[in-house]
Amino acid sequence: MIHFKSIVGLAAGVILTAACQSDKYHIKGEARHLPDGSVLYLTDDLNTGRRLLDSVVVSNGRFSGSGLTDSTFICKLFPKGQLQQGVIFFLEPGNIYVELSAVPSRSRVSGTVINNRWQALNDSVAKYDLRIRNIVRLTNDSLNPRQLSADINRLYKGITTHIKETAIRNKDNALGHFISTHYQGD
């Protein structure tokens, strides 16, 4: 009889834990370059930032906020009046950490599975971009444009393959959906 009670108790615990799953998100982060009192806005309108979802205030270079969401979608957190200085990430239930930099390409996001994968993709794209820029910058040999073109094409194919593979690996989540609907690579 004790064995049966233990199993029932364990099953009840699992059911209660599953029923208490939260749709709550927590965003914490740092924006050390912004003065105290700076307002950061959250939007799902990546182009104009006109549709604001929430805001947080920077204090001692840090900020935090939370809310509810029943889905996962791409959004942007940006300083008031500086949409281009923001960071793009996926708003979803869980703990999200944002490092907002004065240099947009140096901002980072982590914490949830989707955001960790998004940051990994962005890091890979940045490495390919740097390699392409270095090839172009360091090339003084105008006599061999075919080799220059071949090197750049090889890197471009690598980045395209990486993006497509990320979309395939994430076909069942918001990251894969975003890439599939917004990436036009060959």
Side-chain angles (χ1 to χ4, degrees), residues 18 21-22 35 43 47 49 55 62 71 78 83 88 101 104 111 143 145 148 150 152-153 157 164 173 178 182 184:
Q21 292 296 322
S22 176
T43 182
N47 296 320
S55 64
R62 298 193 174 279
S71 61
F78 65 97
L83 184 65
I88 296 172
S101 173
L143 298 177
L148 176 64
I152 290 173
N153 283 335
K157 284 181 182 178
K164 288 178 180 179
N173 63 43
F178 177 77
H182 290 87
Q184 301 294 320

Side-chain angles (χ1 to χ4, degrees), residues 3 10 14 34 47 53 59 71 90 96-97 125 132-134 170 183:
H3 183 59
L10 180 61
V14 170
L34 295 176
N47 296 320
L53 305 173
S59 177
S71 61
F90 286 86
I96 302 166
Y97 193 79
V125 169
I132 289 171
R133 289 175 189 271
N134 283 338
N170 291 279
Y183 184 66

Side-chain angles (χ1 to χ4, degrees), residues 2-173:
I2 293 173
H3 183 59
F4 178 72
K5 286 182 182 179
S6 297
I7 292 173
V8 170
L10 180 61
V14 170
I15 290 170
L16 286 174
T17 301
C20 293
Q21 292 296 322
S22 176
D23 289 340
K24 193 165 192 172
Y25 66 85
H26 301 278
I27 299 173
K28 289 184 180 182
E30 54 190 75
R32 300 201 183 279
H33 64 289
L34 295 176
D36 281 2
S38 296
V39 178
L40 300 175
Y41 291 107
L42 183 67
T43 182
D44 61 353
D45 179 1
L46 304 181
N47 296 320
T48 67
R50 290 188 183 139
R51 191 172 44 247
L52 300 177
L53 305 173
D54 205 349
S55 64
V56 294
V57 177
V58 176
S59 177
N60 294 319
R62 298 193 174 279
F63 58 89
S64 66
S66 59
L68 297 174
T69 183
D70 59 358
S71 61
T72 300
F73 57 93
I74 198 148
C75 64
K76 189 174 211 174
L77 185 69
F78 65 97
K80 181 179 180 179
Q82 301 176 34
L83 184 65
Q84 298 307 316
Q85 296 299 314
V87 61
I88 296 172
F89 64 98
F90 286 86
L91 186 69
E92 64 180 329
N95 296 313
I96 302 166
Y97 193 79
V98 175
E99 298 171 52
L100 190 61
S101 173
V103 179
S105 62
R106 298 224 174 115
S107 292
R108 302 187 60 76
V109 63
S110 60
T112 62
V113 171
I114 300 290
N115 283 307
N116 291 341
R117 291 175 185 174
W118 173 246
Q119 187 61 55
L121 177 62
N122 284 307
D123 291 344
S124 295
V125 169
K127 286 178 185 176
Y128 277 100
D129 177 66
L130 181 62
R131 290 172 62 192
I132 289 171
R133 289 175 189 271
N134 283 338
I135 287 172
V136 172
R137 184 176 51 88
L138 297 174
T139 301
N140 296 325
D141 182 6
S142 62
L143 298 177
N144 198 353
R146 282 188 183 158
Q147 183 61 44
L148 176 64
S149 178
D151 290 346
I152 290 173
N153 283 335
R154 179 180 46 80
L155 289 170
Y156 180 75
K157 284 181 182 178
I159 195 170
T160 299
T161 299
H162 185 68
I163 293 169
K164 288 178 180 179
E165 288 172 352
T166 300
I168 291 168
R169 280 193 311 275
N170 291 279
K171 66 182 176 197
D172 296 329
N173 63 43

